[in-house]
Amino acid sequence: MRNYLDVLQKIEETGYRAWLVGDTVRMLEMGIQPDTITLAIDTQDMYQVSRILGTGTVDSRGPYPALRGELLGVTFRAFGLRGDTIEDDLACRDLSIEAIAIRSDGGIVDPFGGRFDIRNRVIRLTGDNVDLIDADPLRIVRMLRFAAEFEMDIFWKSESDVRAFLEVYADRMNDIPAERWGREIMKGLHRRPYRFIELCNDYRLIPYFLPELEELKTVYDSKDPKKSIYTHILEVLKVIEQRMDTRKIMQNDAFVLAGLFGMIGTRTLDGTDRTRLADHLVNEYLTRWNVPSQMIDEVIAIINSYKKFYNPVNEEEFCRDVLDYTREAVEIAIEFGWCIADAGGFIDDVSDTLEANRWGLMQVLRRFDNVKLQTEGSTRYMTGREVMSLLNMKPGRRIGELLEGLDMAVGTGKVSSRAAAEDWLRAQVS
C-alpha cells in the first residue's frame, strides 16, 4: 500500500489531487495485489499531468481519456474525475464494491458502503440506484459476472430493481453492440463459466447474446429424452469450472468457449451432426465479440478434435495436430474430452485411453521442447536458408515440404540433434 500512496503523492506534486479508485481499491480490500493501479485525478487534462510528470502516454480512445504510465516502479492508468468531487465520481460507478477511493494520506472514501459489501460478499448497485442500469443496461451483465467471479450474492433490492427493469425494458438489451456484449461475456466466463451462464439464464439474458443457446433448451436427444442439449452444456461448463480449480488449470478462454459453443449448431447430445455451418456460427459470434482469430481457431480445433482422443492416437497424429493447430489447443482438447466424458457420465469408459493419450502427447511435446534447448529458443534445428545451403537447392515448395517432414521426424523421435537433422535431410534427396 505504501508504494501506491507514494504514487498518489507524486502525482499531487503536479498540483492536482489524486485517489486510488475502482478495481484497485476493491482488490486491495479483498487482499489481492493489483498489477496495475487505477487512479482518478482532479482534472480532465491528462496531457498536462503527463507533461509535468515527464512520463506516461494519453490514450484518447473510449469515452474517458486515460493517462497510462509508470511511477516509482508502479504501473498505473489515470482518468479525469467525473463530477466536481470524488464522491460525484464514485456515484457514477455501477457497483458499490467499485465505488471506494483511497486518498494520498491513506484515508478511505466509501460513501456507499462498498467495504461492508465486500466483507459480507454482496453485490449491490451503487446507492441502490436503478438509474445506473437505465443509463447503461449492460451493467446488468457486469453485476452478474462480478457475482459469479467472486461467488457473491446479489443484494435483494438490486435484484428486484434489475428484474423490474427487464420486465419493462428488456428490448433495450438488443441495442447493446456485439463487441460490448463480448467483452463482458468473456470476462464472465473467465473464472466461473457455469455460475455466470446460470445467472444469465436466471435473469433471462441468454436470448440477447446467444439465441442459439436458448433454442437448445427445447432440443432433446433420442438417447436421453430427459436431458436437453442446453442442460448438457451447463453440465459441461460446471465440470470445466471444477477442473480449472482442482487441476490448477490456468483460466484458458479457448477451453471455456469450447464448452459454451461445443453443441451450438447441433441437434444431438453426441454432436454427430456437427457441420461446417456450426463452425461458421462459432466464428461469426466470436469475431463479433472481438475474440482474436488465433483463439477462434483454437476453439474450433478443440470442438472438432476432442472426440478422437477417446481412441488411441499415435505419435504421428499428435505431431500433425500440434503443427496444424497449436500445442495448447491439443492439450486443451484432451482436457476438454475429460470434461465432456465426465459431464456425459461415461468417463470410466474412456479415462484410461485419455490418460494414455495425454502421456503420448507429452512425449511429443518434450521432443519439440528439446529442440529449443539445443538451439537457444528456435523451434527448428535448421532454417529454410540453411536447408538450401546444405542441399544446394533453390527456394521453392520442396524446401517447405522438407521442413514440415523434419518437424514430423523430430516429434516422433527420429531426429534429436542438429547432426541427425542434417543426415535426415540428405537421406530425403539422395
Side-chain angles (χ1 to χ4, degrees), residues 115-274:
R115 288 184 299 165
F116 177 86
D117 288 341
I118 289 173
R119 288 194 297 272
N120 289 279
R121 308 196 66 77
V122 170
I123 294 293
R124 180 199 307 259
L125 292 176
T126 298
D128 295 326
N129 185 0
V130 75
D131 289 342
L132 291 169
I133 298 299
D134 188 50
D136 183 3
L138 193 63
R139 282 174 166 150
I140 298 171
V141 185
R142 180 172 163 81
M143 180 184 77
L144 299 184
R145 76 169 176 84
F146 270 85
E149 179 176 354
F150 301 122
E151 298 183 75
M152 290 180 164
D153 295 322
I154 298 171
F155 185 58
W156 68 268
K157 189 173 188 308
S158 295
E159 177 177 357
S160 61
D161 284 346
V162 167
R163 291 189 187 280
F165 177 89
L166 288 172
E167 281 291 327
V168 180
Y169 301 111
D171 285 348
R172 290 193 56 195
M173 306 304 289
N174 289 319
D175 299 330
I176 299 171
E179 63 270 18
R180 294 197 65 213
W181 271 113
R183 187 160 54 246
E184 290 300 325
I185 298 300
M186 292 295 293
K187 289 177 180 177
L189 293 171
H190 188 63
R191 291 182 61 87
R192 292 288 180 261
Y194 166 73
R195 178 162 163 76
F196 174 67
I197 294 298
E198 193 177 40
L199 281 170
C200 286
N201 179 56
D202 186 39
Y203 281 76
R204 301 178 184 176
L205 294 178
I206 291 176
Y208 299 103
F209 67 86
L210 191 52
E212 286 81 3
L213 179 58
E214 180 74 13
E215 292 171 6
L216 294 179
K217 290 180 178 180
T218 58
V219 179
Y220 295 83
D221 190 82
S222 58
K223 298 177 183 177
D224 191 350
K226 295 182 180 180
K227 180 186 291 187
S228 71
I229 293 182
Y230 171 82
T231 301
H232 178 70
I233 291 172
L234 273 189
E235 291 176 351
V236 170
L237 289 176
K238 188 173 187 177
V239 173
I240 286 175
E241 186 173 298
Q242 293 168 344
R243 288 183 79 80
M244 285 195 296
D245 286 337
T246 59
R247 293 185 62 83
K248 307 302 181 186
I249 303 168
M250 292 184 65
Q251 280 74 29
N252 185 297
D253 291 334
F255 182 35
V256 176
L257 286 170
L260 180 63
F261 282 92
M263 296 291 173
I264 296 297
T266 70
R267 289 294 182 270
T268 58
L269 284 175
D270 61 7
T272 53
D273 63 341
R274 185 168 183 82

Side-chain angles (χ1 to χ4, degrees), residues 13 19-20 28 36 61 68 80 96-97 102 122 144 164 175 194 334 340 360 415:
E13 291 175 7
W19 298 263
L20 293 173
L28 291 172
T36 299
R61 294 172 298 178
R68 304 179 188 274
S96 65
I97 64 172
I102 299 178
V122 170
L144 299 184
D175 299 330
Y194 166 73
I334 293 179
I340 294 290
V415 170

Side-chain angles (χ1 to χ4, degrees), residues 31-169:
I32 304 170
Q33 188 76 9
D35 295 325
T36 299
I37 64 172
T38 304
L39 311 173
I41 301 179
D42 191 12
T43 179
Q44 300 302 314
D45 193 349
M46 295 294 105
Y47 292 97
Q48 175 69 1
V49 177
S50 177
R51 282 193 294 269
I52 298 174
L53 288 175
T55 186
T57 58
V58 178
D59 181 355
S60 59
R61 294 172 298 178
Y64 307 109
L67 172 61
R68 304 179 188 274
E70 184 176 307
L71 272 177
L72 307 178
V74 177
T75 303
F76 72 90
R77 57 179 183 174
F79 300 88
L81 203 65
R82 287 179 282 177
D84 296 328
T85 66
I86 185 61
E87 288 80 6
D88 291 340
D89 183 278
L90 297 177
C92 295
R93 300 174 184 272
D94 44 12
L95 302 174
S96 65
I97 64 172
E98 298 271 289
I100 315 169
I102 299 178
R103 300 191 304 262
S104 60
D105 63 1
I108 305 291
V109 184
D110 184 15
F112 304 105
R115 288 184 299 165
F116 177 86
D117 288 341
I118 289 173
R119 288 194 297 272
N120 289 279
R121 308 196 66 77
V122 170
I123 294 293
R124 180 199 307 259
L125 292 176
T126 298
D128 295 326
N129 185 0
V130 75
D131 289 342
L132 291 169
I133 298 299
D134 188 50
D136 183 3
L138 193 63
R139 282 174 166 150
I140 298 171
V141 185
R142 180 172 163 81
M143 180 184 77
L144 299 184
R145 76 169 176 84
F146 270 85
E149 179 176 354
F150 301 122
E151 298 183 75
M152 290 180 164
D153 295 322
I154 298 171
F155 185 58
W156 68 268
K157 189 173 188 308
S158 295
E159 177 177 357
S160 61
D161 284 346
V162 167
R163 291 189 187 280
F165 177 89
L166 288 172
E167 281 291 327
V168 180
Y169 301 111

